[in-house]
Amino acid sequence: MSPAATDAGGDLFAANLKGALLAVASSAFVGVSFIVKKKGLRRAGAVGSRAGVGGYGYLWEPLWWVGMVTMLVGETANFVAYMFAPAVLVAPLGALSIIVSAVLAHFMLNEKLQRVGVLGCILCIVGSTVIILHAPEERPPDSVEQIWRLATQPTFLCYAALAVAVSLLLMLYCAPRYGQTNIMIYVGICSVVGSLTVMSIKAVGIAIKLTIQGENQAGYFQTWLFVTVSAICLVIQLVYLNKALDTFNTALVSPIYYAMFTTLTILASAIMFKDWSGQSASIIASETCGFLTVLAGIIVLHSTKEPDQNLSPDLYASLTAPLPPKIYWHIQGNGGDVGKQKEDDSLPCDFITVVRQDYFV
């Protein structure tokens, strides 16, 4: 192997290492932000409309903004990571944020982490290590125009069109009807849109990196188009992630979001940037096994978490509704059971109901 090839390989490995370290730091900040934002959403929901039902009172909650700033720091580190390393490496390392959020949720949100959950955390760490060791060494594009050519390939255009169609279907039809009861709606929107976010953010990051190196990319309209797409996708993700966190248990949102988001991001990156082009079958298999190990760890971690005990708005409304005029109850005395009914002679005398709730009809 020539010295030039050796130097190039060393530079690519160093770039991957920088990207991996930034991704790990990003996961730590994002994991903390999940917990802080959740506490802010709870505070805001206690005095006004919850984000899960369309309320925006959390915008006036300082704790939520602390979580937002923490998330922005994490996302900035993640943004820079995409400048150096491929999405196949950076995206799966987001699993580490789940470990952080699961541990903090145990202490700060009373969302109990069982002992078996520790095994899930270990699996996530092992899988992430395998991914780092076998990540492909990506050669970054030389200009935004080259990225644009990658983004306008027929295969990626088909993926982008399908992603937009699915997102619109989920947002306009499914979310109003099933968003409060089906966790896959809100998380699905975040994941599908998120895969497009990563592609556009990676393009913007490369443009900034090239500009810093002396090759100004601000004069290309493609740069600003990628910036616009990134901003729109980020806002959509933020809104629906808030809805998911406010409606469902953090222990449910984090792993499902990770699994869907990472899978779609790897798929989008493989289509657009051809991350696995030139990689041997063994390397691809190792990366896949690493991702599956992380996914298994997340499933184990998720399976040990307790479901959220929060009541849905409809159930709460039913429990606080005025009592109906006809109430039936069961009285048990020393002489035996006596069934008593009020204002309804149509029921048989031996009608007996055991009361286990506050009231019932």
Side-chain angles (χ1 to χ4, degrees):
M1 183 179 294
S2 66
T6 303
D7 291 342
D11 291 341
L12 291 175
F13 176 80
N16 271 9
L17 182 60
K18 290 178 184 177
L21 293 175
L22 286 166
V24 171
S26 169
S27 295
F29 281 104
V30 171
V32 172
S33 73
F34 266 109
I35 305 305
V36 178
K37 286 174 64 181
K38 177 92 176 189
K39 290 183 71 70
L41 289 170
R42 285 185 176 181
R43 285 189 184 181
V47 296
S49 299
R50 297 166 46 241
V53 294
Y56 292 94
Y58 59 85
L59 294 176
W60 285 267
E61 173 55 50
L63 190 59
W64 183 84
W65 282 107
V66 172
M68 270 302 301
V69 171
T70 307
M71 175 171 276
L72 287 175
V73 173
E75 293 299 342
T76 300
N78 199 52
F79 172 78
V80 178
Y82 281 112
M83 295 184 187
F84 297 97
V88 174
L89 169 60
V90 176
L93 293 180
L96 301 178
S97 67
I98 298 176
I99 298 177
V100 175
S101 63
V103 173
L104 292 180
H106 175 82
F107 294 103
M108 299 179 64
L109 299 178
N110 294 321
E111 297 176 359
K112 299 302 180 182
L113 174 64
Q114 307 299 331
R115 291 182 178 179
V116 181
V118 177
L119 174 61
C121 295
I122 294 174
L123 288 173
C124 289
I125 294 173
V126 171
S128 298
T129 303
V130 172
I131 291 172
I132 291 174
L133 294 177
H134 296 88
E137 296 177 346
E138 180 185 61
R139 295 186 180 278
D142 298 327
S143 67
V144 171
E145 288 184 320
Q146 185 177 350
I147 302 174
W148 179 255
R149 286 193 294 271
L150 295 174
T152 52
Q153 300 172 94
T155 50
F156 186 76
L157 287 178
C158 290
Y159 174 84
L162 181 60
V164 171
V166 170
S167 299
L168 291 176
L169 175 64
L170 291 175
M171 286 188 289
L172 300 179
Y173 180 80
C174 298
R177 293 169 174 80
Y178 313 112
Q180 292 294 304
T181 56
N182 191 332
I183 191 174
M184 301 301 292
I185 303 301
Y186 292 154
V187 176
I189 295 171
C190 294
S191 302
V192 175
V193 174
S195 66
L196 298 180
T197 305
V198 170
M199 298 303 101
S200 55
I201 279 182
K202 185 172 179 66
V204 174
I206 293 173
I208 293 175
K209 182 181 178 182
L210 291 172
T211 301
I212 293 175
Q213 293 174 347
E215 301 177 21
N216 188 8
Q217 304 294 308
Y220 297 101
F221 81 92
Q222 293 95 333
T223 301
W224 300 107
L225 182 59
F226 285 129
V227 170
T228 302
V229 172
S230 300
I232 294 173
C233 291
L234 283 172
V235 170
I236 294 174
Q237 278 186 271
L238 176 62
V239 170
Y240 284 96
L241 183 58
N242 280 329
K243 288 178 179 288
L245 286 172
D246 189 56
T247 306
F248 303 99
N249 192 305
T250 306
L252 296 176
V253 174
S254 296
I256 296 175
Y257 178 46
Y258 167 82
M260 295 181 64
F261 168 76
T262 304
T263 301
L264 292 174
T265 298
I266 291 176
L267 176 61
S269 183
I271 294 173
M272 180 172 173
F273 290 100
K274 297 178 171 54
D275 291 328
W276 285 335
S277 178
Q279 300 293 313
S280 66
S282 62
I283 294 295
I284 295 175
S286 298
E287 295 169 12
T288 304
C289 289
F291 173 62
L292 292 177
T293 302
V294 174
L295 190 57
I298 292 173
I299 293 173
V300 171
L301 186 59
H302 157 60
S303 66
T304 63
K305 300 292 288 185
E306 297 176 351
D308 204 346
Q309 300 298 320
N310 294 336
L311 295 174
S312 67
D314 294 338
L315 178 58
Y316 179 78
S318 68
L319 292 178
T320 56
L323 292 177
K326 299 178 182 180
I327 305 174
Y328 312 97
W329 63 90
H330 171 253
I331 302 174
Q332 182 174 6
N334 294 331
D337 294 343
V338 180
K340 186 174 182 180
Q341 60 188 65
K342 183 177 180 180
E343 297 183 6
D344 193 342
D345 297 331
S346 62
L347 293 174
C349 294
D350 59 352
F351 176 80
I352 296 176
T353 306
V354 178
V355 179
R356 293 191 180 275
Q357 304 294 332
D358 293 336
Y359 75 90
F360 59 92
V361 181

